[in-house]
Amino acid sequence: MRVLCSEAVQDPTKVEATVRAQAAERQKKHLKANAERQLTKEQRGAKKTAKLTEDTSQGVHIAVFRINNLSNPQHKYKVETNATQFLFTGLMLLAKDNNIVIIEGGPKGLRKFKRLMMVRMKWDEDVRNRKNQEDDKRPKNQCKLIWEGTRKTRYFSKFATKLITGDPSAAKEYLTKYNCQNFWDLAVCESIVSEEV
């Protein structure tokens, strides 16, 4: 409007209409360019998956956690959901007093998952936030990282949950199928040490 000051004095309405039309045209061109650059739903999904998928060609990072009590369904849900969201493979093995979570993936996702397990999750929360006399006698529920390392290949092809009822040695037999029974031995040793302390 200021550029066209001599014409604006002669016919201000016409100049204002011209300026508004030019501004509307620029806005329309801008929105059209944005719409052309916008990703489709499939492209957005592929981009998100590519962002989460980490390069594990140099080796797979593995972490093994031991949790005293994993009976709270909210805790199980958080572990399963986060493992699948980070595209991890592994296993959540639920046994009587010895629950282990084995996670395989890239270093960045594993670092976030460790923070979830060790810091963010409140393991001693009761399902209904009630305190019973029996609960006071039980040891404090906690999560411990019992092993962390790398390996060339994965033990598991996907993330799964397995409930072991009855004899605890069945858990070791189940892990033998995946050639990682040593994780169960670590968890048992950790539980013995924590009982003594």
Side-chain angles (χ1 to χ4, degrees):
M1 191 97 173
R2 290 181 186 157
V3 176
L4 306 169
C5 61
S6 62
E7 294 176 22
V9 172
Q10 295 170 359
D11 193 1
T13 310
K14 182 180 176 185
V15 171
E16 186 178 344
T18 306
V19 169
R20 287 184 187 268
Q22 289 172 351
E25 187 178 326
R26 283 193 303 270
Q27 178 74 11
K28 187 177 177 183
K29 183 180 173 185
H30 173 71
L31 293 175
K32 183 180 176 187
N34 280 351
E36 289 172 358
R37 280 193 308 265
Q38 189 175 17
L39 298 174
T40 64
K41 189 174 184 179
E42 293 83 23
Q43 289 172 331
R44 274 182 285 171
K47 182 179 177 182
K48 186 175 181 181
T49 304
K51 192 175 182 181
L52 286 174
T53 305
E54 295 187 52
D55 181 28
T56 55
S57 61
Q58 299 296 320
V60 180
H61 291 257
I62 303 171
V64 181
F65 301 93
R66 181 187 170 278
I67 300 115
N68 295 349
N69 183 3
L70 202 52
S71 61
N72 188 339
Q74 191 176 27
H75 292 156
K76 286 185 218 172
Y77 175 78
K78 284 182 182 178
V79 171
E80 285 180 21
T81 304
N82 280 284
T84 52
Q85 284 176 349
F86 283 120
L87 303 176
F88 287 146
T89 58
L91 177 71
M92 181 167 40
L93 189 66
L94 307 170
K96 190 178 174 189
D97 288 321
N98 215 4
N99 304 294
I100 63 171
V101 177
I102 304 168
I103 295 293
E104 304 172 323
K108 186 178 177 183
L110 196 61
R111 191 170 50 247
K112 291 179 181 180
F113 193 81
K114 274 186 357 189
R115 177 158 171 74
L116 169 80
M117 296 289 280
M118 305 298 288
V119 177
R120 290 176 42 213
M121 287 184 71
K122 308 299 180 219
W123 292 102
D124 30 332
E125 281 183 357
D126 190 17
V127 179
R128 293 176 189 86
N129 291 329
R130 287 189 279 165
K131 296 287 182 186
N132 296 336
Q133 292 177 352
E134 297 173 13
D135 291 344
D136 295 335
K137 295 176 185 175
R138 284 193 320 193
K140 182 179 176 185
N141 191 21
Q142 59 184 354
C143 174
K144 286 188 177 179
L145 177 67
I146 57 174
W147 188 81
E148 182 178 12
T150 58
R151 187 172 190 258
K152 280 285 184 194
T153 58
R154 295 177 184 266
Y155 287 112
F156 305 96
S157 59
K158 62 178 184 163
F159 188 81
T161 302
K162 177 69 176 169
L163 176 64
I164 302 292
T165 56
D167 188 24
S169 63
K172 187 171 181 177
E173 291 172 18
Y174 182 77
L175 288 173
T176 305
K177 287 195 308 189
Y178 298 103
N179 197 23
C180 59
Q181 64 275 10
N182 56 331
F183 294 147
W184 182 256
D185 295 334
L186 279 170
V188 170
C189 290
E190 180 65 35
S191 67
I192 292 170
V193 168
S194 64
E195 286 174 5
E196 290 176 358
V197 173

